[in-house]
């Protein structure tokens, strides 16, 4: 009896408790033993916590193989191999069906159902392409395995599903939230230039903005490329604001591809910089070289040179000057052909607030960074002293905003930037309370610090637009800025919720 019926194979699956679930890591296999359930169509259902890297991996590389094996001795061994494609279930009825099938087979589902916490789980359905059953004695006698093909399941998936999955992975590699670090100083430099010379070369401004965003995105990818080994050694878990994009560690983007596209973006930004030098003047060259140096050597592979390991505060100063002072001055210079003391002074609060974003993001990674030789300022100073540096930077930033109009370096409309102060106060409050706790407790401080940098910077721009343009244009800009703040807040809130659900899942 070599060929089994569908029901006989389903009965075998019902007798089995766990299977080895394999996924792809850029061509290398990853496996995990998981409880599963099967329906009458051989769809396999598994579950995991929301925020689990396995779920993220499935969302981007859905190809899956499962091996279910039973047998006390070699001659009693039987197994079923299933090749298919995974999908994370979002529809309520699909989730309820998966939970109903798994509740008697998976201890975690049973526990979550008892605690009324099924919403903390992701349910994954693996649609089979091929199901193959083998029984060892029959295989040894040359009998063929039992094979069922499901061609309709192959057809039901579009190639665009894979394109969208790859796009999501590359979007995360870009780290969209971090791009505001480049957006704010370029907008501010343009507004300062408009206030100074009463005109703006739109093409040069757009090229400046694109170049700055490319530098930021390229730096993110280069840091992921260089930090791949260190981040792989990070055993403290994934966090929404730190530890890089982790696309390499999840197997969604190869290390080589990450490095290649990071260098390509940085190189393209350098070409834009060369053009801007040609049209605006040689005075831009030192800023471009400084930015390239910061992007390439901010961090480094184990044992290699990096500014982080050079001396306390060097890397943080590098970020503050690059994404605060020099990008503002560079955007100003492209439009005017000269540098300005006013532009330098106005850029200082931006520099202080972006350095705070970097600093607060170092807290959750402090232990793993120390173990892997990444000597950030938090590692060097300790969390208590680093928290005081954060507080001092907030105070210094708002003190400068208060003083600059009084000293006649800015219009009094600069005081609109104090509308961002509540975010700073909340960031300070959460940092004071939770700086030495776990990453989830510090998420509100991460979020408020990031929003403070973005909102205060956009309000500084608004202050100068008010003095130069008719009221309608600044109001439109302000409305667009508030929409951007709302989008960023929603993005952060989604990340915070994932982390919080993961933490609280077993507390119910």
């Amino acid at each position: 009896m070599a060929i089994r019926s569908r029901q006989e194979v389903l009965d075998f699956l019902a007798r089995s408790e766990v299977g080895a679930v394999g996924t792809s890591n850029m061509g290398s296999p990853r496996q995990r033993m998981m409880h599963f359930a099967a329906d009458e169509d051989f769809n396999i259902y598994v579950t995991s916590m929301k925020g689990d890297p396995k779920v993220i991996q499935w969302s981007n590389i859905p190809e899956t193989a499962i091996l279910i094996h039973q047998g006390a001795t070699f001659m009693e061994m039987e197994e079923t191999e299933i090749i298919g494609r995974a999908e994370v279930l979002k529809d309520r009825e699909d989730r309820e069906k998966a939970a109903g099938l798994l509740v008697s087979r998976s201890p975690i589902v049973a526990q979550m159902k008892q605690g009324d916490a099924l919403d903390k789980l992701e349910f994954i359905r693996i649609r089979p392409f091929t199901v193959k059953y083998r029984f060892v004695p029959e295989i040894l006698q040359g009998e063929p395995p039992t094979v069922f093909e499901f061609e309709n399941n192959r057809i039901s998936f579009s190639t665009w599903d894979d394109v969208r999955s790859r796009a999501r992975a590359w979007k995360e590699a870009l780290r969209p939230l971090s791009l505001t670090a480049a957006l704010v100083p370029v907008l501010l430099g343009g507004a300062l230039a408009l206030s100074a010379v009463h005109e703006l070369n739109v093409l040069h401004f757009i090229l400046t903005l694109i170049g700055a965003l490319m530098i930021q995105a390229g730096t993110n990818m280069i840091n992921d490329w260089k930090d791949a080994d260190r981040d792989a050694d990070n055993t403290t878990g994934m966090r929404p604001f730190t530890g890089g994009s982790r696309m390499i560690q999840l197997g969604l983007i190869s290390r080589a591809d990450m490095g290649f596209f990071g260098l390509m973006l940085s190189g393209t930004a350098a070409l834009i910089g060369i053009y801007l030098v040609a049209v605006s003047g040689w005075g831009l060259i030192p800023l471009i070289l400084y930015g390239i140096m910061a992007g390439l050597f901010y961090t480094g592979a184990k044992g290699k040179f990096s500014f982080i390991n050079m001396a306390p505060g060097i890397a943080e100063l590098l970020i503050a000057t690059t994404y605060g002072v020099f990008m503002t001055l560079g955007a100003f210079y492209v439009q005017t052909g000269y540098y300005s003391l006013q532009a330098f002074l106005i850029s200082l609060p931006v520099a202080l607030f972006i350095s705070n974003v970097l600093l607060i993001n170092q807290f959750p990674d402090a232990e793993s960074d120390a173990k892997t030789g990444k000597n950030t300022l938090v590692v060097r100073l300790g969390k208590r002293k680093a928290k005081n540096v954060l507080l001092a930077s907030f105070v210094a930033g708002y003190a400068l905003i208060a003083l600059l109009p009084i000293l006649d370096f800015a219009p009094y409309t600069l005081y609109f930037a104090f509308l961002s102060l509540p975010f700073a106060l909340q960031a300070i409050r959460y940092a004071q309370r939770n700086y030495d706790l776990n990453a989830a407790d510090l998420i509100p401080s991460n979020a408020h610090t990031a929003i403070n940098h973005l909102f205060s910077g956009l309000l500084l721009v608004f202050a100068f637009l008010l003095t130069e343009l008719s009221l309608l244009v600044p109001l439109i800009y302000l409305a667009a800025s508030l929409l951007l703040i709302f989008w960023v807040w929603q993005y952060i809130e989604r990340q915070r919720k994932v982390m919080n659900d993961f933490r609280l899942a077993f507390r119910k």
Side-chain angles (χ1 to χ4, degrees):
M1 166 177 152
I3 302 302
R4 295 327 195 256
S5 68
R6 288 171 62 102
Q7 188 57 51
E8 286 175 315
V9 177
L10 285 171
D11 290 342
F12 167 78
L13 295 177
R15 295 194 304 271
S16 306
E17 292 186 8
V18 296
V21 180
T23 51
S24 173
N25 176 11
M26 301 305 295
S28 299
R30 287 189 174 186
Q31 288 189 332
R32 181 187 294 184
M33 298 300 295
M34 303 183 75
H35 290 88
F36 72 94
D39 65 16
E40 64 278 4
D41 295 318
F42 286 92
N43 293 313
I44 302 298
Y45 297 86
V46 295
T47 188
S48 192
M49 300 299 301
K50 287 186 174 179
D52 184 352
K54 193 76 168 178
V55 176
I56 299 172
Q57 191 178 38
W58 261 319
S59 299
N60 292 276
I61 305 180
E63 288 76 16
T64 305
I66 308 172
L67 183 64
I68 298 105
H69 176 88
Q70 279 191 339
T73 66
F74 178 72
M75 293 303 294
E76 296 175 300
M77 287 183 183
E78 53 182 333
E79 65 182 24
T80 296
E81 178 186 5
I82 300 172
I83 306 295
R85 186 181 177 101
E87 53 185 338
V88 181
L89 299 178
K90 302 299 182 184
D91 182 77
R92 183 175 63 84
E93 291 185 3
D94 288 340
R95 287 176 55 85
E96 288 178 353
K97 176 181 179 180
L101 290 169
L102 284 164
V103 68
S104 61
R105 296 175 58 85
S106 168
I108 187 173
V109 175
Q111 180 177 342
M112 290 299 188
K113 183 176 177 62
Q114 185 178 7
D116 194 25
L118 288 176
D119 60 316
K120 303 299 186 294
L121 294 175
E122 294 282 17
F123 292 96
I124 297 91
R125 176 172 58 207
I126 301 162
R127 293 182 183 270
F129 296 161
T130 302
V131 175
K132 187 179 296 185
Y133 171 87
R134 305 181 187 91
F135 182 45
V136 166
E138 294 172 351
I139 297 298
L140 292 177
Q141 293 171 19
E143 298 286 348
T146 299
V147 180
F148 303 116
E149 297 287 350
F150 298 82
E151 290 300 325
N152 288 338
N153 285 347
R154 295 181 187 270
I155 296 171
S156 66
F157 292 102
S158 164
T159 55
W160 284 106
D161 293 334
D162 293 330
V163 172
R164 286 190 288 269
S165 295
R166 301 305 296 152
R168 284 195 298 269
W170 281 106
K171 184 198 77 173
E172 291 303 317
L174 290 174
R175 297 188 233 169
L177 183 61
S178 73
L179 299 183
T180 60
L183 174 69
V184 167
V186 173
L187 291 179
L188 182 57
L192 287 164
L194 179 63
S195 176
V197 299
H198 313 296
E199 63 179 1
L200 189 75
N201 186 312
V202 176
L203 174 61
H204 293 169
F205 175 76
I206 291 173
L207 286 174
T208 304
L209 182 59
I210 292 173
L213 293 173
M214 283 185 168
I215 280 288
Q216 175 63 45
T219 299
N220 289 341
M221 291 183 178
I222 289 170
N223 288 346
D224 278 355
W225 169 48
K226 290 187 174 182
D227 274 349
D229 292 334
R230 284 198 184 102
D231 289 340
D233 292 340
N234 182 353
T235 59
T236 59
M238 290 185 66
R239 293 168 288 279
F241 300 102
T242 60
S245 71
R246 298 192 70 81
M247 292 297 102
I248 297 174
Q249 289 76 17
L250 289 171
L252 305 181
I253 297 174
S254 72
R255 186 174 184 178
D257 284 348
M258 188 72 79
F260 173 78
F261 283 103
L263 292 172
M264 186 181 71
L265 284 172
S266 298
T268 304
L271 292 177
I272 292 174
I274 291 171
Y275 170 78
L276 293 175
V277 168
V279 298
S280 61
W282 293 97
L284 201 59
I285 289 180
L287 302 189
I288 294 174
L289 292 177
Y290 188 92
I292 292 173
M293 178 184 66
L296 291 176
F297 298 109
Y298 166 72
T299 188
K302 290 181 179 179
K304 302 294 184 180
F305 171 80
S306 69
F307 287 106
I308 278 184
N309 291 330
M310 187 176 180
I314 293 294
E316 289 72 20
L317 178 64
L318 201 72
I319 294 300
T321 50
T322 299
Y323 294 103
V325 177
F326 288 171
M327 278 195 176
T328 303
L329 290 178
F332 181 87
Y333 184 91
V334 166
Q335 298 294 327
T336 65
Y338 63 87
Y339 292 116
S340 157
L341 177 60
Q342 180 196 47
F344 170 76
L345 293 173
I346 297 294
S347 72
L348 292 178
V350 177
L352 289 165
F353 295 154
I354 191 60
S355 67
N356 270 357
V357 174
L358 175 67
L359 186 62
I360 194 66
N361 288 347
Q362 292 174 359
F363 277 76
D365 284 334
E367 286 77 17
S368 60
D369 284 343
K371 291 177 182 177
T372 56
K374 192 174 181 179
N375 296 318
T376 63
L377 193 62
V378 174
V379 171
R380 292 175 183 272
L381 296 182
K383 291 185 177 181
R384 180 182 293 274
K385 290 182 179 179
K387 177 257 298 179
N388 294 334
V389 172
L390 183 84
L391 174 60
S393 295
F394 275 126
V395 171
Y398 282 104
L400 281 167
I401 292 171
L403 288 172
L404 288 174
I406 297 173
L407 298 176
D408 203 29
F409 282 108
Y412 281 93
T413 53
L414 202 73
Y415 291 153
F416 276 107
F418 279 102
L419 292 173
S420 64
L421 184 59
F423 291 102
L425 295 177
Q426 285 291 85
I428 291 169
R429 182 169 74 88
Y430 284 112
Q432 290 274 28
R433 180 193 301 173
N434 302 329
Y435 73 92
D436 205 25
L437 300 180
N438 61 47
D441 293 311
L442 201 59
I443 285 175
S445 190
N446 292 99
H448 284 92
T449 303
I451 292 290
N452 169 259
H453 161 259
L454 176 60
F455 196 23
S456 63
L458 294 175
L459 289 171
L460 292 175
V461 176
F462 177 67
F464 283 92
L465 294 182
L466 277 174
T467 66
E468 189 63 26
L469 302 173
S470 62
L471 185 59
L472 180 61
V473 175
L475 288 179
I476 292 173
Y477 163 83
L478 182 61
S481 297
L482 292 175
L483 287 175
L484 177 60
I485 293 293
F486 179 75
W487 177 83
V488 171
W489 183 262
Q490 289 292 101
Y491 180 86
I492 290 174
E493 182 63 16
R494 286 194 299 270
Q495 301 294 319
R496 184 203 64 78
K497 189 175 185 302
V498 167
M499 186 75 175
N500 199 51
D501 285 348
F502 193 85
R503 180 181 64 140
L504 297 179
F506 290 95
R507 290 192 178 182
K508 285 194 175 183

